[in-house]
Amino acid sequence: MHKTVIATAIGAALILSACGEQKAQEPKTAAKVAAQQLASDASKIAAPADTKKDTKKVGNVLLEPSPLTFQAPQYDLITKADFMPAFKAGIKEHSEEIAAIANNPEAPTFANTIVAMEKTGAILDRTSRAFFQYSGLLADDEVQKIEEQAMPMLTEHSDNIYMDPKLFARVQAVYDAKDKLTDKVDQRLVQHYYDQFVRAGAKLNDQDKAKLRDLNGELSKLATEFSQNILKSFKDDTILVTDKAQLKGLSDDEIDGLAAAAKTAGKEGYLISLVNTTRQPLLMHLDNRELRQKIWETSANRAQSTNGPIVLKLAELRAEKAKLLGYDTWADYVLADQMAGKPAAVYSMLDNLAPKAVAKAEHEAADIQKEIKAEGGNFELKPWDWNYYAEKVRKAKYDLDEAQIKPYFEFNRVLNDGLFFAMNKLYGITFKPRTDLPVWQEDVKVWQVFDKDGSPLALFYLDPYARVGKNGGAWMDEIVTQNYLLDGKPVVYNALNIPKPAAGQPTLLTFDEVVTMFHEFGHAAHGIFSKVKYPSLAGTSTARDFVEFPSQFNEDWAINPEVLANYAKNYKTGEPIPADLLKKIRDAATFNQGFNTVEYLGAALLDMEWHSVKAGSKITDVNAFEKAALEKHGIYYAPIMPRYRSCYFSHAFSGGYSAGYYAYLWTEVFAADAFSYMKDHGGLTRENGDKFREDVLSKGNSQDLMQDYINFRGQQPTIDALLKRRGLVD
């Protein structure tokens, strides 16, 4: 079975849809503000004019492999009307293929059972990838209705496969004889399938299987509702300002963007939309404290009436499912096949860091309170004050103003002379634009990636701008997964949420957005450099608490001196960024890390506590549960709320990261350790890049993940580099 066929049916999420949590300076996409209202119509797939004008719609293109390079989708020919027929056709085809394997009269073997399953589900795989890409990037009412129809079908189809006793008997037989296989990757694939079947209920009796089917159906329905409520919240939970004077502190461009957003929405004034995190970027510059409070409270309290009951029900049903499958809690169930292994390991890591983070945040708060007093303020620091006054403290400490920085980070220069330059120096790859290939929206760009020997390696798509109907945050996904079994070549994309400038204006990035670009391409590199035989083990199909390692590792190249010198140039004059300004950026790198870490840890611990609830427990108040959970771990600190509160915590309740949000910190340990090691061994060199590519990026999930790291580093990672990276130790 192609890896997304069943993964999508269970999770209904893009493989990295919840990405974007880089080194707890999140939101890296914070600056998108109301500009997400300015993008073009997201209700249809668009292709470039030079490729769309000559195309003709001939049947449902999802039913056959694409004739384009590396089977890149024919976005100019896909319509929303194609999805449901393709889902139905895909489920029918896949069911017949699976039935043929289950009913094979020959004795079960690795080839006729496990490998045979790897070869099934082509239509369903192609359709699922296209649709869930579409729902994450171009959602509208029609797409949401399709999702509501498709998810029950996909969930039922998944259950039909994993709970088929005849099929599992064959999997069990191959598993029992797996030690006779001579290839370690073959053994790992068998283990993968066996674990998937068992974790999906294959060993339950008929009565319990029926209960599990009901639970799966309800969980799928609730997760879909949660996700759709979030999209609705982005439209509904807005703040309309009618007096321009209230926007004092914002730049002219930001104010123009808010005015344009209001006009697009058919309103008079200035429309402020929320980003997906509790923290809102406008709070950094808005002088009006009353408006700051209104924005922050709207953000922190959003979706409570719609998603509050869903959070309670999801936690309850997940606990029931875990118990049915033999686990104490949902967290125990989830972590059983992750690197962490058990909740205790996660709690230990988070709790060990919490006191250091709170102490750092309290020190930062003292500096902010001094700044408030110095300005004549006679009030106690509140959450809506933090970023506004922290920015003033940063300016005072480092003489650093974001307005000074942005002219040196023009989007195309950062992309071509920064990211692509670094990837060439490190891995030898080159990028050639492919303007002939259709895309799903006019701002999307495509490149063909060529390997160090000049051979075609992959296709890379980039969807940079925020718009209505696009999920918040930043992420990567595989459109086609590399694998040798089916001759799959990597086709991957990155989605960002950069505010789109007015026509004719350059796209100037914050440094956080620069780092986001590097982060997401770290995921892309993981998919592009995969060299694995089987689809289920290829690319980014690793444990969640490993998959963020390559991306967080890639972040630090953004500030490498050689890379910075190549791309950090004034967009008007071409002059390189002044050395003193660059030094300020470096010196300020660990500024506000107490806030960032407390904010992150709060969300990670909330996620773990919701999913450590045992079956039968009754929780009736989301807000009371949150407060008690944070106090339990010593991370409740009034001026800093969790990065996500429960009712808009998509990672935990609809994005496939339940009991997994800790993974960003877990993998940052690997990333910081690996980058420190590489820095000590020459830094940005092909020798280092080739080693990292071979030992880590190429392996997918084809062997033990910790062993991958040891092969690269020579030992397991330590936390030392992480503490320095976050400025929590000197």
Side-chain angles (χ1 to χ4, degrees), residues 342-407:
K342 293 184 177 296
V346 175
Y347 281 121
S348 176
M349 176 186 69
L350 299 178
D351 287 339
N352 284 339
L353 194 56
K356 298 182 181 69
V358 172
K360 178 81 170 177
E362 289 174 341
H363 180 74
E364 293 167 355
D367 287 343
I368 290 173
Q369 196 69 56
K370 289 178 185 176
E371 182 67 27
I372 293 172
K373 185 177 179 180
E375 291 199 353
N378 186 26
F379 54 85
E380 184 180 353
L381 171 65
K382 297 293 183 182
W384 47 88
D385 298 316
W386 188 291
N387 284 305
Y388 178 75
Y389 286 99
E391 181 64 10
K392 292 177 179 292
V393 172
R394 184 174 75 149
K395 288 180 182 178
K397 277 194 171 186
Y398 304 103
D399 189 25
L400 185 62
D401 187 340
E402 192 174 271
Q404 296 176 274
I405 300 171
K406 291 181 72 172

Side-chain angles (χ1 to χ4, degrees), residues 710-729:
I710 293 171
N711 290 345
F712 165 70
R713 174 71 168 86
Q715 65 180 51
Q716 292 191 12
T718 70
I719 199 170
D720 298 345
L722 170 68
L723 295 175
K724 292 180 181 178
R725 193 185 203 213
R726 285 180 174 261
L728 300 180
V729 297

Side-chain angles (χ1 to χ4, degrees), residues 650-664:
S650 295
H651 295 75
F653 295 107
S654 65
Y657 268 56
S658 60
Y661 191 66
Y662 75 91
Y664 293 101

Side-chain angles (χ1 to χ4, degrees), residues 65-141:
S66 169
L68 302 180
T69 304
F70 297 169
Q71 295 191 36
Q74 300 176 81
Y75 291 112
D76 52 335
L77 300 180
I78 297 172
T79 68
K80 285 177 280 191
D82 292 332
F83 286 121
M84 281 309 300
F87 271 128
K88 291 176 181 178
I91 289 173
K92 180 177 184 295
E93 177 195 64
H94 196 213
S95 297
E96 291 170 352
E97 292 169 336
I98 292 296
I101 296 169
N103 296 314
N104 188 342
E106 298 178 4
T109 66
F110 176 69
N112 69 20
T113 302
I114 305 300
V115 176
M117 283 194 286
E118 282 286 277
K119 294 179 177 179
T120 64
I123 293 176
L124 186 54
D125 180 61
R126 190 160 51 243
T127 303
S128 297
R129 290 176 188 265
F131 177 75
F132 288 107
Q133 179 187 0
Y134 198 102
S135 68
L137 296 166
L138 297 163
D140 60 11
D141 291 343

Side-chain angles (χ1 to χ4, degrees), residues 584-634:
K584 292 175 186 178
I585 294 173
R586 289 178 170 278
D587 290 345
T590 58
F591 177 73
N592 214 36
Q593 279 298 316
F595 177 97
N596 292 325
T597 307
V598 169
E599 187 191 47
Y600 167 79
L601 290 173
L605 284 161
L606 275 185
D607 173 40
M608 288 299 297
E609 285 293 336
W610 277 116
H611 296 111
S612 296
V613 171
K614 293 193 174 185
S617 301
K618 292 298 178 183
I619 304 168
T620 58
D621 188 324
V622 171
N623 293 330
F625 180 89
E626 286 186 349
K627 188 172 186 293
L630 297 174
E631 287 177 337
K632 174 182 175 182
H633 294 278

